[in-house]
């Protein structure tokens, strides 16, 4: 008769506790700790002693768990300890995480400099320091539908075409940059667009830098960046990742 009563109690307990989180005092974090320790089911917890559970979740919660799944009585002091632990965990969860200063940095080395002669360096500096006016379309500020995109003025009475001061600059050959550095990247490299690893063949790292095409996927991009770094070829548009700033 006693065996029948015990079987009935165990069957009722099985129906009541289907998962670890159904046990009183066991939340997602405690359930994860129990699973990491090898107690993956309620039966595993029921078969463990209170001392074994105490090594994982603490003595107070271990006593409470055994009371739920093992039929032990829990003293009021133990209940109070469990509630105190739960309150402390909730307060720790509410505390904001410590602010960590981070910044975006390239995932590969990009500090490669081109091998330039003295004249090219001078022309690059001239191109960078010489101001060029903003060429705006005539009467763009008078009509909302007219964009700033440049169009050559052709009207016979156009003040901009005639060159009257204050009516806007017109595109002229004198505004062009020096021919020797006209197509160079501001760093001084010649740009080479690449779509795969084979495109890196023949790239001279001393005078040329690569720009990875926008359609290239993430995995292939990483392989191209790693290969370019090994060959000491600068990548003009590397992948950036967030890293912590060292004090």
């Amino acid at each position: 008769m006693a065996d029948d009563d015990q079987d009935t109690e165990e069957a009722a307990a099985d129906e009541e506790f289907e998962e670890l989180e159904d046990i009183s005092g066991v939340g997602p974090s405690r359930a994860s700790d129990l699973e990491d320790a090898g107690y993956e089911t309620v039966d595993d917890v029921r078969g463990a002693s209170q001392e074994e559970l105490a090594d994982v979740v603490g003595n107070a919660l271990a006593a409470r768990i055994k009371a739920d799944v093992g039929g032990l009585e829990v003293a009021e002091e133990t209940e109070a300890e469990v509630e105190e632990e739960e309150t402390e965990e909730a307060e720790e969860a509410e505390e904001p995480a410590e602010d960590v200063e981070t910044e975006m940095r390239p995932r590969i080395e990009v500090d490669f400099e081109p091998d330039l002669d003295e004249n090219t360096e001078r022309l690059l500096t001239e191109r960078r320091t010489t101001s060029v006016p903003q060429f705006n379309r005539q009467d763009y500020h008078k009509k909302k539908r007219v964009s700033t995109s440049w169009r050559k003025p052709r009207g016979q009475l156009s003040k901009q075409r005639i060159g009257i001061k204050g009516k806007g600059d017109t595109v002229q050959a004198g505004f062009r940059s020096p021919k020797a550095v006209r197509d160079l990247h501001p760093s001084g490299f010649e740009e080479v667009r690449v779509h795969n690893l084979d495109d890196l063949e023949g790239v001279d790292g001393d005078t040329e830098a690569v720009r990875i095409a926008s359609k290239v996927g993430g995995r292939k991009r990483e392989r191209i960046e790693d290969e370019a770094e090994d060959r000491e070829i600068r990548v003009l548009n590397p992948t950036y990742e967030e890293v912590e700033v060292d004090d």
Side-chain angles (χ1 to χ4, degrees):
M1 192 66 160
D3 294 339
D4 294 339
D5 293 340
Q6 185 177 0
D7 294 339
T8 304
E9 292 178 358
E10 290 180 357
D14 291 338
E15 294 179 358
E16 182 180 357
F17 306 113
E18 295 180 357
E19 299 180 357
L20 294 178
E21 295 184 23
D22 295 334
I23 303 174
S24 176
V26 178
S29 61
R30 292 301 189 188
S32 177
D33 294 339
L34 289 170
E35 291 174 353
D36 293 341
Y39 306 107
E40 299 180 353
T41 64
V42 176
D43 290 336
D44 294 337
V45 174
R46 184 180 292 112
S49 65
Q50 180 174 335
E51 290 76 12
E52 293 173 340
L53 295 177
D55 294 337
V56 181
V57 296
N59 186 52
L61 183 55
R64 183 168 176 177
I65 291 174
K66 293 301 292 182
D68 277 356
V69 301
L72 298 178
E73 294 184 359
V74 182
E76 294 182 359
E77 294 79 3
T78 304
E79 291 282 358
E81 290 179 9
V82 174
E83 293 178 357
E84 183 178 352
E85 289 181 1
E86 292 177 350
T87 304
E88 291 178 356
E89 290 180 0
E91 291 177 354
E92 291 177 359
E94 292 176 358
E95 292 180 359
E98 183 180 354
D99 292 336
V100 178
E101 186 178 357
T102 60
E103 66 179 12
M104 301 300 292
R105 293 180 181 174
R107 60 175 295 274
I108 59 171
E109 178 67 31
V110 294
D111 295 333
F112 301 121
E113 298 295 334
D115 185 11
L116 302 175
D117 55 40
E118 186 175 332
N119 184 56
T120 303
E121 291 182 356
R122 179 183 62 81
L123 293 176
L124 281 172
T125 303
E126 179 182 332
R127 187 185 71 174
R128 183 174 61 253
T129 56
T130 302
S131 60
V132 178
Q134 178 66 41
F135 300 110
N136 295 318
R137 188 173 183 174
Q138 180 175 282
D139 294 341
Y140 77 95
H141 59 290
K142 294 182 180 181
K143 299 177 182 179
K144 191 173 183 179
R145 67 175 183 271
V146 178
S147 66
T148 59
S149 179
W150 169 253
R151 296 294 185 275
K152 181 179 179 180
R154 300 180 184 278
Q156 291 184 351
L157 301 179
S158 171
K159 295 180 176 62
Q160 187 179 31
R161 181 185 67 81
I162 298 173
I164 294 179
K165 186 177 181 180
K167 297 302 178 180
D169 293 296
T170 57
V171 174
Q172 299 178 23
F175 288 119
R176 299 193 73 176
S177 58
K179 186 175 182 179
V181 297
R182 188 166 296 162
D183 298 324
L184 296 184
H185 185 266
S187 62
F189 282 109
E190 297 178 20
E191 289 193 30
V192 178
R193 187 176 299 274
V194 297
H195 297 81
N196 49 54
L197 290 174
D198 294 337
D199 292 341
L200 292 176
E201 296 293 338
V203 176
D204 184 3
D206 293 334
T207 59
E208 296 176 331
V210 299
R211 183 178 298 277
I212 303 175
S214 60
K215 297 295 184 180
V216 176
R219 293 181 181 177
K220 184 184 290 186
R221 168 180 281 271
E222 289 185 1
R223 291 198 295 268
I224 293 175
E225 290 176 347
D226 294 338
E227 182 66 21
E229 184 179 22
D230 294 340
R231 300 187 182 192
E232 297 186 354
I233 298 174
R234 179 169 175 177
V235 179
L236 299 177
N237 57 338
T239 301
Y240 281 77
E241 56 186 8
E242 188 174 12
V243 297
E244 294 185 5
V245 178
D246 298 330
D247 295 335

